Coordinates of all heavy atoms in Angstrom, one line a residue:
M1 N 210.1 -49.5 6.0 CA 208.8 -48.9 6.3 C 207.8 -49.3 5.3 O 208.0 -49.2 4.1 CB 209.0 -47.3 6.4 CG 207.9 -46.7 7.1 SD 208.1 -44.9 7.3 CE 207.5 -44.3 5.7
Q2 N 206.6 -49.6 5.7 CA 205.6 -50.1 4.8 C 204.5 -49.0 4.7 O 204.1 -48.3 5.6 CB 204.9 -51.3 5.4 CG 204.4 -52.2 4.3 CD 203.9 -53.6 4.8 OE1 203.8 -53.8 6.0 NE2 203.6 -54.4 3.9
M3 N 204.1 -48.7 3.4 CA 203.1 -47.7 3.2 C 201.8 -48.4 2.9 O 201.7 -49.4 2.2 CB 203.5 -46.9 1.9 CG 204.9 -46.2 2.1 SD 204.8 -44.5 2.4 CE 204.1 -43.9 0.9
V4 N 200.8 -47.8 3.4 CA 199.4 -48.3 3.1 C 198.8 -47.4 1.9 O 198.6 -46.2 2.1 CB 198.5 -48.3 4.3 CG1 197.1 -48.8 3.9 CG2 199.1 -49.1 5.4
V5 N 198.6 -48.1 0.8 CA 198.1 -47.3 -0.4 C 196.7 -47.7 -0.6 O 196.4 -48.9 -0.9 CB 199.0 -47.6 -1.6 CG1 198.4 -46.8 -2.8 CG2 200.4 -47.1 -1.4
T6 N 195.8 -46.7 -0.5 CA 194.4 -47.0 -0.7 C 194.0 -46.7 -2.2 O 193.1 -47.3 -2.7 CB 193.5 -46.3 0.2 OG1 193.8 -44.9 0.2 CG2 193.7 -46.8 1.7
R7 N 194.7 -45.7 -2.8 CA 194.4 -45.4 -4.1 C 195.7 -45.1 -4.8 O 196.6 -44.5 -4.2 CB 193.6 -44.0 -4.2 CG 192.1 -44.2 -4.3 CD 191.5 -42.8 -4.5 NE 190.1 -42.8 -4.3 CZ 189.3 -43.1 -5.3 NH1 189.7 -43.4 -6.5 NH2 188.0 -43.0 -5.0
T8 N 195.9 -45.6 -6.0 CA 197.1 -45.4 -6.7 C 197.0 -44.1 -7.6 O 196.7 -44.2 -8.8 CB 197.5 -46.6 -7.5 OG1 196.4 -47.0 -8.2 CG2 198.0 -47.7 -6.7
L9 N 197.2 -43.0 -7.0 CA 197.2 -41.7 -7.7 C 198.6 -41.3 -8.0 O 199.5 -41.5 -7.2 CB 196.5 -40.6 -6.9 CG 195.1 -40.8 -6.6 CD1 194.6 -39.6 -5.7 CD2 194.2 -40.9 -7.8
C10 N 198.8 -40.7 -9.2 CA 200.1 -40.2 -9.5 C 200.3 -38.9 -8.7 O 199.4 -38.3 -8.2 CB 200.3 -39.9 -11.0 SG 199.2 -38.6 -11.7
D11 N 201.5 -38.3 -8.7 CA 201.8 -37.1 -8.0 C 200.9 -35.9 -8.4 O 200.5 -35.2 -7.6 CB 203.3 -36.7 -8.1 CG 204.2 -37.7 -7.3 OD1 203.7 -38.5 -6.5 OD2 205.4 -37.6 -7.5
A12 N 200.7 -35.8 -9.7 CA 199.9 -34.7 -10.3 C 198.5 -34.8 -9.8 O 197.9 -33.8 -9.4 CB 200.0 -34.7 -11.8
C13 N 197.9 -36.0 -9.7 CA 196.6 -36.2 -9.2 C 196.5 -36.0 -7.7 O 195.6 -35.4 -7.1 CB 196.0 -37.6 -9.5 SG 195.5 -37.8 -11.3
L14 N 197.5 -36.5 -7.0 CA 197.6 -36.3 -5.5 C 197.6 -34.8 -5.1 O 197.0 -34.4 -4.1 CB 198.8 -36.9 -4.9 CG 198.8 -38.4 -4.7 CD1 200.1 -39.0 -4.3 CD2 197.7 -38.8 -3.7
T15 N 198.2 -34.0 -6.0 CA 198.3 -32.6 -5.6 C 197.2 -31.7 -6.3 O 197.1 -30.5 -6.1 CB 199.6 -32.0 -6.0 OG1 199.8 -32.3 -7.4 CG2 200.7 -32.6 -5.2
L16 N 196.3 -32.4 -7.0 CA 195.1 -31.6 -7.6 C 194.1 -31.3 -6.5 O 193.7 -32.2 -5.8 CB 194.5 -32.5 -8.7 CG 193.4 -31.7 -9.6 CD1 194.1 -30.8 -10.5 CD2 192.6 -32.7 -10.3
P17 N 193.8 -30.0 -6.4 CA 192.8 -29.7 -5.3 C 191.5 -30.2 -5.6 O 191.0 -30.2 -6.8 CB 192.8 -28.1 -5.4 CG 194.0 -27.7 -6.2 CD 194.3 -28.8 -7.1
V18 N 190.8 -30.8 -4.6 CA 189.5 -31.4 -4.8 C 188.4 -30.4 -4.5 O 188.4 -29.8 -3.5 CB 189.4 -32.7 -3.9 CG1 188.0 -33.3 -4.0 CG2 190.4 -33.7 -4.3
A19 N 187.5 -30.3 -5.5 CA 186.3 -29.4 -5.4 C 186.7 -28.0 -5.0 O 186.0 -27.3 -4.3 CB 185.4 -30.0 -4.3
V20 N 187.8 -27.5 -5.6 CA 188.1 -26.1 -5.5 C 187.9 -25.4 -6.9 O 188.3 -25.9 -7.9 CB 189.6 -25.9 -5.1 CG1 190.0 -24.5 -5.1 CG2 189.9 -26.6 -3.8
A21 N 187.0 -24.4 -6.8 CA 186.7 -23.7 -8.0 C 187.9 -23.1 -8.7 O 188.8 -22.7 -8.1 CB 185.6 -22.6 -7.7
A22 N 187.8 -23.0 -10.1 CA 188.8 -22.4 -10.9 C 190.1 -23.1 -10.8 O 191.2 -22.6 -10.9 CB 189.0 -20.9 -10.5
T23 N 190.1 -24.5 -10.7 CA 191.3 -25.3 -10.7 C 191.5 -25.8 -12.1 O 190.6 -26.4 -12.7 CB 191.1 -26.5 -9.8 OG1 190.9 -26.1 -8.5 CG2 192.3 -27.4 -9.9
P24 N 192.6 -25.5 -12.8 CA 192.8 -26.0 -14.1 C 193.2 -27.5 -14.0 O 193.8 -27.9 -13.0 CB 194.0 -25.2 -14.6 CG 194.7 -24.7 -13.4 CD 193.7 -24.7 -12.3
P25 N 192.9 -28.3 -15.1 CA 193.4 -29.7 -15.1 C 194.9 -29.7 -15.2 O 195.5 -28.9 -15.8 CB 192.7 -30.2 -16.4 CG 192.4 -29.1 -17.2 CD 192.2 -27.9 -16.3
H26 N 195.5 -30.7 -14.5 CA 196.9 -30.9 -14.6 C 197.3 -31.4 -16.0 O 196.4 -31.9 -16.7 CB 197.5 -31.7 -13.5 CG 197.2 -33.1 -13.5 ND1 197.6 -34.0 -14.4 CD2 196.5 -33.9 -12.6 CE1 197.2 -35.2 -14.2 NE2 196.5 -35.2 -13.0
P27 N 198.6 -31.3 -16.4 CA 198.9 -31.6 -17.8 C 198.6 -33.0 -18.3 O 198.4 -33.2 -19.5 CB 200.4 -31.4 -17.9 CG 200.7 -30.5 -16.7 CD 199.7 -30.9 -15.7
E28 N 198.4 -34.0 -17.4 CA 198.1 -35.4 -17.9 C 196.7 -35.6 -18.0 O 196.2 -36.7 -18.4 CB 198.8 -36.4 -16.9 CG 200.3 -36.3 -16.9 CD 201.0 -36.5 -18.2 OE1 200.4 -37.3 -19.0 OE2 202.0 -35.9 -18.5
L29 N 195.8 -34.7 -17.5 CA 194.4 -34.9 -17.6 C 193.8 -34.6 -19.0 O 194.2 -33.5 -19.5 CB 193.7 -34.1 -16.5 CG 193.7 -34.6 -15.1 CD1 192.9 -33.6 -14.3 CD2 193.1 -36.0 -15.0
H30 N 193.0 -35.4 -19.5 CA 192.4 -35.1 -20.8 C 190.9 -35.4 -20.7 O 190.5 -36.3 -20.1 CB 193.1 -35.7 -22.0 CG 193.0 -37.2 -22.0 ND1 192.2 -37.9 -22.8 CD2 193.6 -38.2 -21.2 CE1 192.3 -39.2 -22.6 NE2 193.2 -39.4 -21.6
L31 N 190.1 -34.5 -21.4 CA 188.7 -34.7 -21.4 C 188.3 -35.9 -22.1 O 188.8 -36.2 -23.2 CB 188.1 -33.4 -22.1 CG 186.6 -33.2 -22.1 CD1 186.1 -33.0 -20.7 CD2 186.2 -32.0 -23.0
C32 N 187.4 -36.8 -21.5 CA 187.0 -38.0 -22.2 C 185.5 -38.2 -22.2 O 185.0 -39.3 -22.4 CB 187.7 -39.2 -21.6 SG 187.4 -39.5 -19.9
S33 N 184.8 -37.1 -22.0 CA 183.3 -37.2 -22.2 C 182.8 -35.8 -22.6 O 183.5 -34.8 -22.5 CB 182.6 -37.7 -21.0 OG 182.5 -36.7 -20.0
E34 N 181.5 -35.7 -22.9 CA 180.8 -34.4 -23.1 C 180.5 -33.9 -21.7 O 180.4 -34.6 -20.7 CB 179.5 -34.7 -23.8 CG 179.6 -35.4 -25.1 CD 179.8 -34.4 -26.3 OE1 179.0 -33.5 -26.4 OE2 180.8 -34.6 -27.0
Y35 N 180.3 -32.6 -21.7 CA 179.7 -32.0 -20.4 C 178.2 -32.3 -20.4 O 177.5 -32.0 -21.4 CB 179.9 -30.5 -20.4 CG 181.3 -30.2 -19.9 CD1 182.3 -30.0 -20.8 CD2 181.5 -30.0 -18.5 CE1 183.6 -29.7 -20.3 CE2 182.8 -29.7 -18.1 CZ 183.9 -29.6 -19.0 OH 185.1 -29.3 -18.5
I36 N 177.7 -33.0 -19.4 CA 176.3 -33.4 -19.4 C 175.7 -32.7 -18.2 O 176.3 -32.4 -17.2 CB 176.1 -34.9 -19.3 CG1 176.9 -35.5 -18.1 CG2 176.5 -35.6 -20.5 CD1 176.5 -36.9 -17.7
P37 N 174.4 -32.3 -18.3 CA 173.7 -31.6 -17.2 C 173.5 -32.5 -16.0 O 173.2 -33.7 -16.1 CB 172.3 -31.3 -17.8 CG 172.4 -31.5 -19.3 CD 173.5 -32.5 -19.5
I38 N 173.8 -32.0 -14.8 CA 173.5 -32.7 -13.6 C 172.6 -31.8 -12.8 O 172.3 -30.7 -13.1 CB 174.8 -33.0 -12.8 CG1 175.6 -31.8 -12.5 CG2 175.7 -34.0 -13.6 CD1 176.7 -32.0 -11.5
K39 N 172.2 -32.3 -11.6 CA 171.2 -31.6 -10.8 C 171.8 -30.2 -10.4 O 173.0 -30.1 -10.2 CB 170.8 -32.4 -9.6 CG 171.9 -32.8 -8.7 CD 171.2 -33.6 -7.5 CE 172.2 -34.5 -6.8 NZ 173.4 -33.9 -6.3
G40 N 170.9 -29.3 -10.2 CA 171.4 -28.0 -9.7 C 171.9 -27.1 -10.9 O 172.6 -26.1 -10.6
E41 N 171.5 -27.4 -12.1 CA 171.8 -26.6 -13.3 C 173.3 -26.6 -13.6 O 173.8 -25.7 -14.2 CB 171.3 -25.2 -13.2 CG 169.8 -25.1 -13.1 CD 169.3 -23.7 -13.2 OE1 169.8 -22.9 -12.4 OE2 168.4 -23.4 -14.0
N42 N 174.1 -27.6 -13.0 CA 175.5 -27.7 -13.3 C 175.7 -28.7 -14.4 O 174.8 -29.4 -14.9 CB 176.2 -28.1 -12.1 CG 176.2 -27.1 -11.0 OD1 176.2 -25.9 -11.3 ND2 176.3 -27.5 -9.7
F43 N 177.0 -28.7 -14.9 CA 177.4 -29.6 -16.0 C 178.6 -30.3 -15.5 O 179.4 -29.8 -14.8 CB 177.7 -28.9 -17.3 CG 176.5 -28.2 -17.9 CD1 176.1 -26.9 -17.4 CD2 175.7 -28.9 -18.8 CE1 174.9 -26.3 -18.0 CE2 174.6 -28.3 -19.4 CZ 174.2 -27.0 -19.0
E44 N 178.7 -31.6 -15.9 CA 179.8 -32.4 -15.5 C 180.4 -33.2 -16.6 O 179.7 -33.7 -17.5 CB 179.4 -33.4 -14.4 CG 180.4 -33.7 -13.3 CD 179.8 -34.3 -12.1 OE1 179.2 -35.4 -12.2 OE2 179.9 -33.7 -11.0
A45 N 181.7 -33.3 -16.7 CA 182.4 -34.1 -17.7 C 183.5 -34.9 -17.0 O 184.0 -34.6 -16.0 CB 183.0 -33.2 -18.8
K46 N 183.9 -36.0 -17.7 CA 184.9 -36.9 -17.1 C 186.3 -36.5 -17.8 O 186.4 -36.3 -19.0 CB 184.6 -38.4 -17.5 CG 183.5 -38.9 -16.6 CD 183.3 -40.4 -17.0 CE 182.1 -40.9 -16.1 NZ 181.7 -42.3 -16.5
F47 N 187.2 -36.5 -16.9 CA 188.6 -36.3 -17.3 C 189.4 -37.6 -16.9 O 189.1 -38.1 -15.8 CB 189.3 -35.1 -16.7 CG 189.0 -33.8 -17.3 CD1 187.8 -33.2 -17.2 CD2 190.0 -33.2 -18.1 CE1 187.5 -32.0 -17.8 CE2 189.8 -32.0 -18.7 CZ 188.5 -31.4 -18.6
K48 N 190.3 -38.0 -17.7 CA 191.1 -39.2 -17.4 C 192.6 -38.8 -17.4 O 193.0 -38.1 -18.2 CB 190.9 -40.3 -18.4 CG 191.5 -41.6 -18.0 CD 191.1 -42.7 -19.0 CE 191.7 -44.1 -18.5 NZ 191.5 -45.1 -19.5
C49 N 193.2 -39.3 -16.4 CA 194.7 -39.0 -16.2 C 195.5 -40.1 -17.0 O 195.3 -41.3 -16.9 CB 195.1 -39.1 -14.7 SG 196.8 -38.9 -14.5
R50 N 196.3 -39.6 -17.9 CA 197.2 -40.4 -18.7 C 198.2 -41.1 -17.9 O 198.8 -42.2 -18.3 CB 197.8 -39.6 -19.8 CG 197.0 -39.4 -21.0 CD 197.8 -38.8 -22.2 NE 197.9 -37.3 -21.9 CZ 197.3 -36.4 -22.6 NH1 196.5 -36.7 -23.6 NH2 197.5 -35.1 -22.3
A51 N 198.6 -40.6 -16.8 CA 199.7 -41.2 -16.0 C 199.2 -42.3 -15.1 O 199.8 -43.3 -14.9 CB 200.3 -40.1 -15.1
C52 N 198.0 -42.2 -14.5 CA 197.5 -43.2 -13.5 C 196.1 -43.7 -13.8 O 195.6 -44.4 -13.0 CB 197.6 -42.6 -12.1 SG 196.5 -41.3 -11.7
D53 N 195.5 -43.3 -14.9 CA 194.2 -43.8 -15.3 C 193.0 -43.4 -14.4 O 192.0 -44.0 -14.4 CB 194.2 -45.3 -15.5 CG 194.9 -45.7 -16.8 OD1 195.1 -44.9 -17.7 OD2 195.4 -46.9 -16.8
T54 N 193.3 -42.4 -13.5 CA 192.2 -42.0 -12.6 C 191.2 -41.2 -13.3 O 191.6 -40.3 -14.2 CB 192.9 -41.2 -11.4 OG1 193.8 -42.0 -10.7 CG2 191.8 -40.6 -10.5
I55 N 189.9 -41.5 -13.0 CA 188.9 -40.7 -13.6 C 188.5 -39.6 -12.7 O 188.2 -39.8 -11.5 CB 187.6 -41.6 -13.9 CG1 188.0 -42.7 -14.8 CG2 186.5 -40.7 -14.5 CD1 188.3 -42.3 -16.3
W56 N 188.5 -38.3 -13.2 CA 188.0 -37.2 -12.4 C 186.7 -36.7 -13.0 O 186.6 -36.7 -14.2 CB 189.1 -36.1 -12.4 CG 190.3 -36.4 -11.6 CD1 191.4 -37.0 -12.1 CD2 190.6 -36.0 -10.3 NE1 192.3 -37.1 -11.0 CE2 191.9 -36.5 -9.9 CE3 189.8 -35.3 -9.3 CZ2 192.5 -36.2 -8.7 CZ3 190.4 -35.1 -8.1 CH2 191.7 -35.6 -7.8
L57 N 185.9 -36.1 -12.2 CA 184.7 -35.4 -12.7 C 184.9 -33.9 -12.6 O 185.2 -33.5 -11.5 CB 183.4 -35.8 -11.9 CG 183.0 -37.3 -12.0 CD1 181.9 -37.6 -11.0 CD2 182.6 -37.7 -13.4
H58 N 184.8 -33.2 -13.7 CA 184.9 -31.8 -13.7 C 183.6 -31.2 -13.8 O 182.8 -31.5 -14.6 CB 185.8 -31.3 -14.8 CG 186.0 -29.8 -14.8 ND1 185.6 -29.0 -15.8 CD2 186.6 -29.1 -13.9 CE1 185.9 -27.8 -15.5 NE2 186.5 -27.8 -14.3
R59 N 183.3 -30.2 -12.9 CA 182.0 -29.6 -12.8 C 182.1 -28.1 -13.2 O 183.0 -27.4 -12.8 CB 181.5 -29.7 -11.4 CG 180.0 -29.5 -11.3 CD 179.5 -29.8 -9.9 NE 179.5 -31.2 -9.6 CZ 179.1 -31.8 -8.5 NH1 178.7 -31.0 -7.5 NH2 179.2 -33.1 -8.3
K60 N 181.1 -27.7 -14.0 CA 180.9 -26.3 -14.4 C 179.5 -25.9 -14.0 O 178.6 -26.7 -14.0 CB 181.0 -26.1 -15.9 CG 182.4 -26.4 -16.5 CD 182.5 -25.8 -17.9 CE 181.6 -26.4 -18.9 NZ 182.0 -26.0 -20.3
N61 N 179.4 -24.7 -13.6 CA 178.0 -24.2 -13.3 C 177.3 -23.7 -14.6 O 177.9 -23.7 -15.7 CB 178.0 -23.1 -12.2 CG 178.7 -21.9 -12.6 OD1 178.9 -21.5 -13.8 ND2 179.2 -21.2 -11.6
K62 N 176.1 -23.2 -14.4 CA 175.3 -22.9 -15.6 C 175.9 -21.7 -16.4 O 175.5 -21.5 -17.5 CB 173.8 -22.6 -15.3 CG 173.6 -21.5 -14.3 CD 172.2 -21.3 -14.0 CE 172.0 -20.3 -12.9 NZ 170.5 -20.1 -12.6
W63 N 176.8 -21.0 -15.8 CA 177.5 -19.9 -16.5 C 178.8 -20.3 -17.1 O 179.5 -19.5 -17.7 CB 177.7 -18.7 -15.5 CG 176.4 -18.2 -15.0 CD1 175.5 -17.4 -15.6 CD2 175.9 -18.4 -13.6 NE1 174.4 -17.2 -14.7 CE2 174.7 -17.7 -13.5 CE3 176.4 -19.1 -12.5 CZ2 173.9 -17.8 -12.4 CZ3 175.7 -19.1 -11.4 CH2 174.4 -18.5 -11.3
G64 N 179.1 -21.6 -17.0 CA 180.3 -22.1 -17.6 C 181.6 -21.9 -16.7 O 182.7 -22.2 -17.2
A65 N 181.4 -21.5 -15.5 CA 182.5 -21.3 -14.6 C 182.9 -22.6 -13.9 O 182.1 -23.4 -13.6 CB 182.2 -20.2 -13.5
C66 N 184.2 -22.8 -13.8 CA 184.7 -24.0 -13.2 C 184.3 -24.1 -11.7 O 184.5 -23.2 -10.9 CB 186.3 -24.0 -13.3 SG 187.1 -25.3 -12.3
E67 N 183.8 -25.3 -11.4 CA 183.5 -25.6 -10.0 C 184.4 -26.6 -9.3 O 184.2 -27.0 -8.2 CB 182.0 -26.1 -9.9 CG 181.0 -25.2 -10.4 CD 180.3 -24.4 -9.2 OE1 179.7 -25.1 -8.4 OE2 180.4 -23.2 -9.2
G68 N 185.4 -26.9 -10.0 CA 186.4 -27.8 -9.5 C 186.3 -29.3 -9.9 O 185.4 -29.7 -10.6
F69 N 187.3 -30.1 -9.5 CA 187.4 -31.5 -9.8 C 187.0 -32.3 -8.6 O 187.3 -32.0 -7.5 CB 188.8 -31.9 -10.2 CG 189.1 -31.4 -11.6 CD1 189.7 -30.1 -11.8 CD2 188.9 -32.2 -12.7 CE1 190.0 -29.7 -13.0 CE2 189.3 -31.7 -14.0 CZ 189.8 -30.5 -14.1
R70 N 186.3 -33.4 -8.9 CA 186.0 -34.4 -7.8 C 186.4 -35.8 -8.4 O 186.3 -36.0 -9.6 CB 184.5 -34.4 -7.5 CG 184.0 -33.2 -6.8 CD 182.5 -33.0 -6.9 NE 182.1 -31.8 -6.1 CZ 182.2 -30.6 -6.5 NH1 182.8 -30.3 -7.7 NH2 181.8 -29.6 -5.8
L71 N 186.8 -36.7 -7.5 CA 187.1 -38.0 -7.9 C 185.8 -38.7 -8.2 O 184.8 -38.6 -7.6 CB 187.8 -38.8 -6.7 CG 189.3 -38.5 -6.6 CD1 189.8 -39.0 -5.3 CD2 190.1 -39.0 -7.8
N72 N 185.9 -39.6 -9.3 CA 184.7 -40.3 -9.7 C 184.3 -41.3 -8.6 O 185.1 -42.1 -8.1 CB 185.1 -41.1 -10.9 CG 183.9 -41.7 -11.7 OD1 182.8 -41.1 -11.6 ND2 184.2 -42.7 -12.4
P73 N 183.1 -41.2 -8.1 CA 182.7 -42.1 -6.9 C 182.7 -43.5 -7.3 O 182.4 -43.9 -8.4 CB 181.3 -41.6 -6.5 CG 180.8 -40.8 -7.7 CD 182.0 -40.4 -8.5
Ligands
LIG101 ZN1 197.1 -39.1 -12.3

């Protein structure tokens, strides 16, 4: 059976909920940038996965609450 792989995500990244608030980073994710202001008074920082090198963007709102992870576009 042949699998079509469009992105090479590790299992931990595959199971990370996308854009779900209050999602903690999985154990292989580490912060690799500062939190910088983005539009809408939110802040965003890059996390990189040590297992598969995927870059995730983590968003916080102006109160510092987690707004979830998104894949780097
Ligand atoms: Zn990963």
Side-chain angles (χ1 to χ4, degrees):
M1 197 176 83
Q2 210 171 8
M3 303 255 293
V4 179
V5 178
T6 53
R7 266 185 191 274
T8 44
L9 295 180
C10 68
D11 288 348
C13 284
L14 279 174
T15 54
L16 188 74
V18 175
V20 175
T23 300
H26 71 62
E28 299 300 327
L29 281 184
H30 64 105
L31 187 64
C32 63
S33 79
E34 306 268 306
Y35 279 90
I36 54 164
I38 58 167
K39 60 179 160 54
E41 299 186 308
N42 292 330
F43 294 85
E44 211 165 60
K46 285 181 181 172
F47 277 75
K48 189 175 182 188
C49 177
R50 277 187 283 252
C52 67
D53 289 338
T54 299
I55 304 288
W56 289 85
L57 296 173
H58 182 242
R59 196 172 291 179
K60 292 197 298 192
N61 65 24
K62 60 180 172 179
W63 301 285
C66 168
E67 296 263 298
F69 285 88
R70 287 161 179 79
L71 281 168
N72 197 26

